[in-house]
Amino acid sequence: MTILVGYSSKYGATEGIAERIARKLREAGREAEARPVASVDNPGDYAGFVIGSSAYMGSWRKEATEFVKRNRELLATQPVWLFSSGPLGAAGKDAQGRDLLKESEPKQFEEFSQALQPRGMQVFFGALDPAVLGRRDRLVRRIPSGRDLLPEGDFRNWAAIDEWAAAIAKELPAG
Ligand SMILES: Cc1cc2nc3c(=O)[nH]c(=O)nc-3n(C[C@H](O)[C@H](O)[C@H](O)COP(=O)(O)O)c2cc1C
């Protein structure tokens, strides 16, 4: 049966991560498809779930959060992995020297770790292209700390994403 790599992506960075994970799972011999969570009509058709969203203001996007909440009972009985795409910049630490990936865990991770007992929860570096941002997101970047916290560029770490996907594949039966 197929593994769903379900995602919520505002500007495409998380979509790219989800597509990559699905491709890596297929290359490892697992059936997998990447789809926006909002377009998943029959979650019961899947044998496992990798669910991801970008983080904005410390939080997953609403449609991803709602997908998990709506399907909480089903997900609790299936293998589940969660990922979040967010932190930007080439440095692994924030200004206080803290691990940026750890600091960028969306607030939903704690709640969902209790409810779903996921097999893995991972934060990945994201991407930001100022040219495509909506008006409100552009304004946030204009506040003094905004530009420092939200630098322009594609910081997605494909090696880390591939490694995570390979570890997931190992836990799933082939075919
Ligand atoms: C206004 C704004 C707020 C953001 N807030 C956060 C945040 O709180 N935590 C985080 O890790 N990333 C944050 N980011 C970075 C995005 O999550 C990152 O660019 C992500 O890869 C975008 O993915 P998407 O194109 O799939 O939505 C923010 C970006 C913008 C533009």
Side-chain angles (χ1 to χ4, degrees):
M1 264 167 80
T2 307
I3 307 303
L4 173 71
V5 185
Y7 61 86
S8 173
S9 179
K10 195 167 184 183
Y11 300 111
T14 313
E15 178 179 0
I17 295 172
E19 293 283 359
R20 176 80 164 221
I21 292 169
R23 176 153 70 82
K24 287 286 154 189
L25 291 177
R26 289 193 295 269
E27 284 173 8
R30 277 65 177 169
E31 278 178 40
E33 64 180 21
R35 293 183 69 133
V37 283
S39 76
V40 176
D41 295 327
N42 297 306
D45 290 349
Y46 296 98
F49 296 84
V50 181
I51 307 295
S53 170
S54 37
Y56 288 86
M57 307 308 190
S59 189
W60 255 16
R61 303 194 71 224
K62 199 171 167 189
E63 57 187 17
T65 304
E66 286 183 349
F67 177 85
V68 171
K69 288 189 171 164
R70 200 165 56 241
N71 296 295
R72 194 188 299 245
E73 285 181 17
L74 169 71
L75 294 178
T77 66
Q78 297 289 339
V80 174
W81 290 262
L82 306 178
F83 74 91
S84 189
S85 104
L88 302 164
K93 308 257 182 212
D94 70 8
Q96 286 75 40
R98 293 172 304 200
D99 181 345
L100 204 49
L101 292 180
K102 182 79 194 138
E103 293 301 313
S104 303
E105 285 184 1
K107 64 176 188 209
Q108 284 78 15
F109 270 19
E110 198 181 337
E111 179 191 344
F112 293 161
S113 88
Q114 303 285 329
L116 307 177
Q117 309 277 315
R119 297 196 185 189
M121 293 191 300
Q122 186 63 49
V123 176
F124 294 115
F125 284 96
L128 185 147
D129 176 1
V132 301
L133 292 184
R135 188 170 159 272
R136 214 148 40 114
D137 290 340
R138 269 205 314 273
L139 286 174
V140 174
R141 278 190 87 232
R142 285 216 194 104
I143 61 173
S145 59
R147 213 167 270 261
D148 293 340
L149 284 172
L150 303 171
E152 164 180 3
D154 187 345
F155 305 99
R156 289 173 294 179
N157 182 341
W158 299 112
I161 293 162
D162 290 352
E163 202 180 301
W164 197 64
I168 292 175
K170 275 202 190 136
E171 291 199 37
L172 295 165

